[in-house]
Amino acid sequence: MSAINQHTSRIDRAGELRVNQESLDQLWQRAQILQIAEGRIAAVDTALTLISAQDVATHIATKTFTEGSRYFLGLDLHTKAPFFAWDTEWVGTIDDEVKEVGFSTVREIGSLLSEQELEISLHAMGLSNWHRAHPRCPRCGGATRVDLGGAARTCDADGSQHHPRTDSAVIVLVKDRDDRILLGHQPIWPEGRFSTFAGFLEPGETFEQCVAREVLEESAVVVTELNYLGSQPWPFPASIMIAFEAVTDNPERAQGDGQEITEVKWFTRAQLLAAAKDGSLLLPPSISVARKMIERWLGESAPGGQTWR
């Protein structure tokens, strides 16, 4: 069976360049820069809005945005042009509606971006989320600063260096022997939204053990025949989704746990397509690995679910 994501990276992360601040400063001057403003990325219509170092200097000089932080994202594989993220905030009190002009979330626009733009966006947002959540040293409590072009934070008080962490999570497409799939509804979702099952890896647990435990906890079915499908970075705020499909021999036992999953439904291909077309079923957004897993099983694109606001 084919994997759900076979494409290679469109960016050379060039980790060797992060150790030389002078080199990073030179790269910044000719870089294409993705601006992040309070969790939203600069984008118009279906493309990112990439700015120059001079544009950044102008924003700072006019006190439109704070000085912010710079994160080196890497080089274009072919042209070797550098990419950076500029993580900043608006200066002063700005209405939320004004802040949204020219900016979008990755969830909203991700499915419309090119593969390279999506890769840049996910990398940038992952760094932004981590840096904003770790202003202090976990060892001594001292203030930390951005280091290695955004790939680390350093505490000058005790000399320790800290690196971004990604939370591993599994996501599972459950099937039965009749090749139906089981989807679940979380109470925080809109009515009619169903998706695959997912959960975080616990200490001392393998991915396979996590798959079996999470599916059993959330849907009451036992799964076997696990098959790895692929993975997807999911920086909302800091996860990597490890995708599997699995088979159950006791589909009649399926029921939600009443907390994380309040309803489960089995779907044939015909039932899923009909429900998605008439709007009674809201599928995950097309940017998500959950959607890719469902459409891989379906054998075609499903209607709806371009974005997930």
Side-chain angles (χ1 to χ4, degrees):
M1 293 185 180
S2 61
I4 57 175
N5 52 350
Q6 298 183 32
H7 63 272
T8 58
S9 174
R10 266 61 179 176
I11 296 292
D12 174 6
R13 297 205 174 196
E16 70 279 3
L17 299 178
R18 299 170 183 164
V19 299
N20 189 318
Q21 187 58 50
E22 183 178 349
S23 295
L24 290 176
D25 291 340
Q26 292 173 355
L27 289 169
W28 171 262
Q29 292 303 319
R30 60 184 181 88
Q32 299 181 72
I33 301 166
L34 173 60
Q35 184 180 1
I36 305 172
E38 299 177 20
R40 302 179 70 86
I41 59 174
V44 175
D45 296 328
T46 62
L48 299 181
T49 303
L50 299 175
I51 60 178
S52 67
Q54 183 57 51
D55 294 327
V56 172
T58 300
H59 283 311
I60 295 173
T62 57
K63 297 183 178 180
T64 308
F65 294 95
T66 60
E67 186 171 346
S69 299
R70 306 175 185 179
Y71 312 138
F72 176 58
L73 303 178
L75 308 174
D76 184 282
L77 277 180
H78 304 292
T79 68
K80 301 304 179 182
F83 291 97
F84 277 76
W86 179 41
D87 192 5
T88 187
E89 298 178 356
W90 278 269
V91 174
T93 303
I94 308 295
D95 291 338
D96 288 341
E97 292 184 1
V98 175
K99 291 181 177 181
E100 292 180 6
V101 176
F103 290 85
S104 298
T105 68
V106 180
R107 286 179 186 264
E108 292 168 345
I109 199 173
S111 63
L112 306 176
L113 300 177
S114 70
E115 289 186 352
Q116 185 185 69
E117 288 180 320
L118 180 59
E119 185 174 346
I120 291 169
S121 300
L122 292 172
H123 187 183
M125 284 308 307
L127 288 176
S128 175
N129 290 337
W130 181 77
H131 281 287
R132 288 175 179 270
H134 294 81
R136 294 280 172 179
C137 175
R139 291 177 55 180
C140 74
T144 56
R145 58 177 171 82
V146 176
D147 200 3
L148 298 181
R153 293 190 74 88
T154 293
C155 175
D156 291 323
D158 66 13
S160 61
Q161 192 175 78
H162 309 279
H163 299 267
R165 295 292 183 265
T166 300
D167 299 324
S168 298
V170 299
I171 185 164
V172 194
L173 184 71
V174 177
K175 302 188 295 185
D176 69 2
R177 295 297 176 185
D178 293 326
D179 203 24
R180 299 180 301 170
I181 62 169
L182 182 67
L183 301 180
H185 171 77
Q186 292 189 16
I188 61 172
W189 291 345
E191 183 179 354
R193 185 170 301 285
F194 283 77
S195 186
T196 52
F197 301 91
F200 287 103
L201 188 74
E202 294 188 352
E205 191 174 44
T206 67
F207 287 129
E208 292 81 3
Q209 290 167 343
C210 185
V211 166
R213 175 182 55 79
E214 284 289 348
V215 172
L216 182 62
E217 288 177 355
E218 294 186 354
S219 70
V221 300
V222 175
V223 292
T224 57
E225 300 181 27
L226 277 61
N227 179 37
Y228 171 72
L229 299 180
S231 61
Q232 180 185 43
W234 196 248
F236 307 115
S239 301
I240 176 76
M241 306 299 294
I242 314 298
F244 291 86
E245 63 180 4
V247 177
T248 182
D249 287 310
N250 55 342
E252 71 285 350
R253 298 182 187 176
Q255 62 178 9
D257 63 2
Q259 296 180 344
E260 291 190 53
I261 301 296
T262 51
E263 186 180 2
V264 297
K265 288 184 179 180
W266 285 103
F267 291 92
T268 64
R269 290 175 176 80
Q271 289 169 339
L272 186 137
L273 276 175
K277 287 178 180 178
D278 68 24
S280 60
L281 172 63
L282 304 178
L283 290 172
S286 52
I287 185 181
S288 69
V289 68
R291 178 61 166 260
K292 292 179 174 64
M293 295 162 70
I294 293 170
E295 291 185 340
R296 175 180 179 275
W297 163 82
L298 186 61
E300 61 182 283
S301 297
Q306 293 304 307
T307 62
W308 197 346
R309 297 176 183 269

